[in-house]
Amino acid sequence: MNPLHTNDVRGSHAIHDTTPAARWEDAFLAGNGEYGIMVEGGPHRERVVLNHHRYVLPNGTRHLRAAETADRLEEIRDLVLAGRAPEAQRIWAGGEELRWTQSFHPGHALEIATPAHGPVRDYLRRTGFDTGEITVDWQDDAGPWRRRSFVSRADAVVVQEFTGPPAELRLRLTGDLPGCPEDVRHRCTAAGLGPGRALLNARATYPPGLGAYGFEAVLLVHAPGARIDTDGDVLILRGARRVLLLGKLERHERPGRRTAELQRALDLLPADYDTLLAAHTALHTPAYRRAALDLTGAPAAEDSPVAASAASAGLPAADLAERQRKSPDALDPALLELLFHSGRYLLLSASGVLPPRLTGLWIGAWGAAWCGDFTTDANLNLQLAGANLAAVPEAVHAHAALVRGQVADWRANARALYGVRGLLAPGRTDGEHGHLFHLDDDWPWPAWLAGADWLLHPLHEYWRTTGDDGFLRAELAGWLIEAAEFFEDFLTRTDDRGHVVFVPSYSPEIAPEGVAGSASVNAVMDVAAGRHALESAIEVCEHLAVEPAAVARWRALLSRFPPYLVNPAGRLTEWAWPGLDGNLDHRHVSHLYPVWPLHEITRDTSPELAEAAHRALAGRGDENLSAHGSLHRALAAARLRDAGLARANLLKILGGDMLFRSLMSSHNPGLEIYNADAAITLPGLVLELLVDARPGRLDLLPALPAELARGTVRGVACQGRVTVEELAWDLPAGTVRAVLRSAVGQTLDVHCRGARRSLVLAAGTAEAAVFDGL
C-alpha cells in the first residue's frame, strides 16, 4: 500500500478529530510559509484565524541599535577578568531597561455562521499533511456539509470552499481576537460586487509613530446563484450550494490602503477550488513526500507495543496523545510516527518568507509569550534540527532569507560593540532586523559570541548535504568568512599558556556559580563556535581555492585555542576557564554545542571528552521542564549514543501533557504556552535516533529506544551528499538493511550497533548495506 495514501483518516499522514476546537490552540493548521490559517471547525459557528509571518506589533524598537562601546572594550575585558562582570554589563546597558522585540500577532478572523438543522452527526475535521488541506464534514437533517481550506504555496492565497444545502450563510471578518490592544483600530466591511460576487475587507492601524502603519485582509467571495445582502460588516448569502473564498493578507509600512490592488490580484485567479489546489499540491506534495517513517506497519507479536499501536492508529490524534499521557513511561510508536509526519508538515508549512517562529506561523491571540519572535540562542536552531536530515530545504531557504535580511545588522553590531570585522548576531529578533538591543544589567547579550556561527550552521550543513555550490559562492562562503573574521579580530588576549582568551563571553542564559554577573570567560559554546567558524571558513575557502593567506592565519589561530576542561566529578565544564563551573539545574545545555549539532566531540574521535560531556548531560537537572530543554538534551544524548537518556527526555514531552489537539505543542507541561519547539523539532530528534551522518561516515540506529525495535524510514538527507533511501530494521530478527545513494563517488564507512561495512558508492547509484546477526 502507498505509505502516503491519505483518504483513510487512520493514516499517519493526516490528523483528524471528531470534535471542534474548544479553544484556538486546538485549531487545525495550514500555511504556505507566508500566510497561515487556524481552523477551529465549529459546524454552525466557525472561526478561521488568518496569520501572516510579518505581522508584528510596532513598539518603537526599529530605531534601536547596539551600544557604541568599542572604545571601552579593554576596560570591559579587565572588569570581567577581575570578577567585576556586573560593572561591565552596565556599560553595555547604559542604564536602560530591557527592550523587547516587536510581538508577533494574529491578523483577523473569518466568522462563518449557518443555521442548525437538527443535531450534528458524523462530524469530522481533518488535516491532510500531503496536501496541506483542512476539511470539516458533518451531517444534519438538511443534508451533508463540507468546508475545505488550504493556503496556496503556488498562488500566495488563502482558499476556502463551503458546500452544502442552500441555506443562509453569514460571513464576517473581525479583529475581535483575545488581547487585542485598544489602540489597534479595526475597520471591517462587507460589500456585494454584482451577481454571485462579494468582498470582505478588514483593515487595521497600529498606534502611530512606532513603526509600520497597519495590516489588511481582503476576501473575494464567489457564490454562484446566491442572493447577496449585507448587514453592516456581515455578508449574507442565500441559496448557494457552493461558495469559494480567496484571501490576500498584507502589512502596510505607510498610511494608505491596498484593497483595490489586492482585489485585482484575486480577480486574476481561477474561481475553482480544485484548480487552485492542484497548483498548490504540485509544490507542496512532492516536498512533503521526500521523507516518511513507519513504526507501526512492521510485523510484530500481538502483545508487542508496535502491534498495539498499529491496531489503534485510527484514533484521533488527541486520543493518541491522551493515551501516551496516561502511560508516560513507555513510548507509543503510533504517536511518535504521527508526530514525525505532523512536525515535517508544520516545518514545511511555516517556512517561506521566514523560518518558523516560536509559534511557527500561527497565533490565535495577541500577547504571545516572548513576543512570538525568533529566539536565536536555542529555539530557532532546534526547530531547524530536521530541516536538512528530514529533507525540508524550504526551511533552510527560509532561514537563509532571515540571515540575508539582517546580516548587515550583524556587521554593525560587531563594529559598534567591539570595533571588529565580521558578524555578531543578537539573542532574539522579530524578523525585521538583527540589531542587538535586547539587554540590560542582568542580560549581557553582547558577550554571546557564538550567535553567527550557530545560526549559520544549518546553512553550512545544507551545503555539506546538497553540494549546492551556487549558494555557497553567492552568499554562504562570504558569511562563513565573515564569521571567522570576527574571531580573528576579537581574539587579541592570551593567557599565561599562550592560549587565546574569549573575554567577554556568555553561556546562554546562565552564569557561573559563585561569581557575580553572567558575562564571563571562555564559555564553551563561544569557544566551540570560534573553532567551528574558523574551520568552516577554511573548508569553503579551500573548496573554492580562495583566500590562501587568510587560511594560513586561521590555522595558526586555531593552534592557540584553549582546551576544554573537565571538573573533578568528570563533567565537561561550561566554561573553559579555571575556577568556573555551572548550575547543574538549568534549562539550557549550550556547552554541548561541540556534541550537537557539531561533531567536534564524538564517541569515536574523542572518547574521553565524550564521556565528560555525557556526565555533564546526565547530571543536568530539568529546571522547568521546558520543551526546548528536553529536546536539546535528547539531541545531545543521541549523539553520545545514550538511547535511554534520549528516550527519557523525549518522554518528558510526550508523556507530559504538552500536545494540543492540533498536535501543536506547549512550552511547558500542562499545555502551558502555545509553542512550536517540540512539534517542529521532533522530526529532527527522531532521525538523530536513527541516523548520525557526517562526511565519510554513517551510523545507523545510534540511539534507538527499545519500543522502536522494528521500523522503516525513507528519504533521510545526510551530510556528505548521501541519501538514505530506505533504512529498515528488525532487531528481534537481528537484521538492518540500508539502501544508500550518493551524489558523488565515495567510500562510506557505515556503522551499525558495533558492526561496520565499507561501502563503495558510485555517483548516482544506490547500494545496500546489510547487517545480520546483530
Side-chain angles (χ1 to χ4, degrees):
M1 186 179 72
N2 181 350
L4 295 173
H5 179 70
T6 58
N7 291 331
D8 187 339
V9 297
R10 294 172 297 176
S12 67
H13 296 278
I15 59 171
H16 71 281
D17 204 341
T18 54
T19 61
R23 52 185 174 180
W24 65 262
E25 292 93 339
D26 290 326
F28 280 8
L29 309 172
N32 68 350
E34 182 178 17
Y35 303 170
I37 59 173
M38 310 177 73
V39 179
E40 295 181 12
H44 301 128
R45 299 289 298 180
E46 172 69 286
R47 173 171 281 216
V48 179
V49 179
L50 307 175
N51 296 132
H52 193 295
H53 232 325
R54 298 195 185 276
Y55 281 0
V56 291
L57 177 64
N59 64 356
T61 59
R62 276 188 174 184
H63 69 283
L64 296 180
R65 299 293 183 267
E68 297 280 349
T69 59
D71 60 342
R72 302 187 69 178
L73 175 57
E74 298 311 317
E75 177 188 358
I76 288 169
R77 286 174 159 167
D78 289 340
L79 288 169
V80 173
L81 288 167
R84 297 162 59 189
E87 296 174 55
Q89 294 168 204
R90 283 194 289 273
I91 293 173
W92 289 316
E96 296 290 333
E97 295 183 357
L98 194 70
R99 296 294 299 271
W100 280 85
T101 50
Q102 300 171 109
S103 184
F104 181 53
H105 66 79
H108 293 89
L110 173 67
E111 294 181 341
I112 307 158
T114 55
H117 299 274
V120 171
R121 303 183 299 275
D122 302 325
Y123 175 90
L124 183 73
R125 61 182 177 127
R126 179 181 183 278
T127 302
F129 300 151
D130 64 334
T131 63
E133 186 182 25
I134 301 171
T135 58
V136 182
D137 292 278
W138 74 95
Q139 296 257 4
D140 64 16
D141 293 345
W145 301 77
R146 165 166 273 209
R147 298 195 188 114
R148 301 193 288 171
S149 309
F150 69 96
V151 187
S152 175
R153 192 168 279 273
D155 296 305
V157 62
V158 176
V159 184
Q160 301 177 84
E161 182 188 66
F162 314 140
T163 56
E168 179 180 283
L169 184 67
R170 288 176 170 255
L171 305 176
R172 176 177 180 251
L173 271 178
T174 178
D176 183 19
L177 289 164
C180 184
E182 291 184 1
D183 51 5
V184 174
R185 306 294 185 184
H186 295 271
R187 184 172 186 269
C188 304
T189 60
L193 297 177
R197 282 163 44 90
L199 193 74
L200 290 168
N201 178 225
R203 300 189 301 277
T205 55
Y206 295 125
L210 297 178
Y213 174 73
F215 56 99
E216 183 172 12
V218 176
L219 297 186
L220 180 62
V221 181
H222 295 275
R227 188 172 81 251
I228 298 175
D229 295 302
T230 60
D231 181 5
D233 60 356
V234 178
L235 185 69
I236 306 171
L237 308 177
R238 297 184 178 92
R241 293 183 176 274
R242 184 180 303 271
V243 177
L244 179 72
L245 273 71
L246 305 178
K248 287 277 189 182
L249 313 176
E250 193 168 277
R251 190 167 187 253
H252 302 319
E253 288 295 307
R254 292 173 294 278
R257 50 184 292 186
R258 294 240 311 146
T259 311
E261 293 90 334
L262 295 173
Q263 181 186 338
R264 281 195 292 271
L266 294 173
D267 282 330
L268 295 174
L269 296 173
D272 182 77
Y273 182 96
D274 290 326
T275 300
L276 292 165
L277 180 62
H280 165 68
T281 55
L283 299 175
H284 175 95
T285 302
Y288 175 78
R289 288 184 174 180
R290 292 189 197 113
L293 178 70
D294 183 357
L295 297 175
T296 62
E302 291 185 2
D303 59 349
S304 75
V306 172
S309 296
S312 57
L315 291 173
D319 290 359
L320 280 174
E322 176 64 12
R323 186 178 70 181
Q324 175 70 88
R325 191 183 68 81
K326 290 180 177 178
S327 301
D329 299 324
L331 287 175
D332 185 331
L335 177 62
L336 194 59
E337 179 183 313
L338 184 60
L339 286 168
F340 176 85
H341 294 131
S342 174
R344 284 191 73 252
Y345 166 74
L346 293 174
L347 175 61
L348 175 62
S349 301
S351 297
V353 297
L354 293 167
R357 296 176 173 274
L358 285 174
T359 61
L361 177 51
W362 303 277
I363 191 76
W366 292 69
W370 304 286
C371 297
D373 64 10
F374 303 92
T375 306
T376 57
D377 64 331
N379 310 66
L380 175 56
N381 281 44
L382 289 168
Q383 290 194 28
L384 294 173
N388 288 301
L389 269 180
V392 190
E394 292 82 0
V396 183
H397 298 323
H399 183 57
L402 177 70
V403 173
R404 184 182 306 119
Q406 52 185 250
V407 71
D409 301 334
W410 296 3
R411 295 184 190 113
N413 295 336
R415 288 193 302 270
L417 287 156
Y418 293 120
V420 299
R421 298 173 298 164
L423 308 175
L424 184 67
R428 58 190 337 113
T429 173
D430 51 37
E432 289 204 335
H433 60 75
H435 296 296
L436 203 165
F437 62 81
H438 178 77
L439 57 102
D440 63 7
D441 289 356
D442 296 321
W443 294 93
W445 285 108
W448 185 48
L449 313 175
D453 181 74
W454 168 252
L455 290 169
L456 291 174
H457 178 269
L459 307 181
H460 179 238
E461 183 182 59
Y462 167 79
W463 171 67
R464 281 185 156 190
T465 300
T466 64
D468 186 349
D469 277 354
F471 174 52
L472 180 70
R473 293 178 186 277
E475 294 182 306
L476 180 58
W479 296 341
L480 294 174
I481 289 169
E482 287 186 273
E485 288 173 340
F486 174 85
F487 288 101
E488 183 180 8
D489 289 0
F490 175 84
L491 293 171
T492 58
R493 291 215 178 181
T494 57
D495 62 18
D496 56 8
R497 296 165 295 171
H499 297 132
V500 292
V501 179
F502 289 71
V503 59
S505 183
Y506 181 43
S507 190
E509 301 168 10
I510 187 172
E513 286 189 325
V515 176
S518 301
S520 193
V521 187
N522 285 5
V524 164
M525 186 180 195
D526 288 341
V527 175
R531 181 178 286 109
H532 184 253
L534 294 168
E535 290 175 344
S536 299
I538 290 169
E539 178 186 10
V540 300
C541 285
E542 291 185 337
H543 178 78
L544 298 174
V546 299
E547 303 287 352
V551 167
R553 294 196 308 271
W554 296 334
R555 288 192 187 280
L557 181 56
L558 281 168
S559 70
R560 297 191 292 123
F561 264 48
Y564 300 130
L565 301 181
V566 178
N567 68 16
R571 292 190 292 262
L572 181 74
T573 61
E574 197 153 348
W575 292 267
W577 190 254
L580 299 185
D581 215 342
N583 179 352
L584 291 181
D585 186 27
H586 198 268
R587 61 195 176 278
H588 283 265
V589 287
S590 302
H591 56 312
L592 298 182
Y593 188 28
V595 175
W596 184 91
L598 306 183
H599 278 99
E600 181 189 350
I601 295 177
T602 70
R603 287 289 189 186
D604 56 284
T605 62
S606 46
E608 292 182 359
L609 276 178
E611 181 57 32
H614 182 260
R615 289 185 180 183
L617 177 63
R620 197 75 157 195
D622 288 316
E623 196 183 7
N624 59 1
L625 285 169
S626 61
H628 72 82
S630 297
L631 291 160
H632 206 158
R633 288 165 169 78
L635 286 161
R639 286 285 176 88
L640 293 168
R641 308 290 186 260
D642 188 337
L645 187 56
R647 173 184 176 278
N649 279 284
L650 178 57
L651 280 169
K652 291 173 191 174
I653 294 169
L654 301 192
D657 193 21
M658 298 179 75
L659 297 173
F660 294 103
R661 298 184 76 88
S662 59
L663 292 191
M664 180 57 81
S665 49
S666 64
H667 187 274
N668 295 95
L671 297 179
E672 181 187 351
I673 305 175
Y674 193 80
N675 175 265
D677 289 346
I680 294 181
T681 303
L682 276 168
L685 172 57
V686 170
L687 290 180
E688 290 275 358
L689 302 175
L690 304 179
V691 175
D692 182 13
R694 56 191 124 148
R697 177 171 175 142
L698 187 65
D699 286 85
L700 305 177
L701 310 182
L704 188 71
E707 294 92 337
L708 311 184
R710 294 180 175 91
T712 305
V713 67
R714 300 178 180 88
V716 185
C718 301
Q719 292 188 57
R721 304 185 67 184
V722 172
T723 299
V724 180
E725 292 194 343
E726 181 175 277
L727 169 63
W729 66 97
D730 185 341
L731 294 188
T735 62
V736 175
R737 182 177 184 272
V739 179
L740 309 175
R741 184 181 298 272
S742 176
V744 295
Q746 61 176 301
T747 299
L748 184 68
D749 280 336
V750 185
H751 297 254
C752 183
R753 306 175 78 84
R756 176 180 177 273
R757 302 282 185 273
S758 183
L759 209 61
V760 178
L761 298 170
T765 62
E767 298 286 344
V770 180
F771 297 84
D772 290 311
L774 295 176

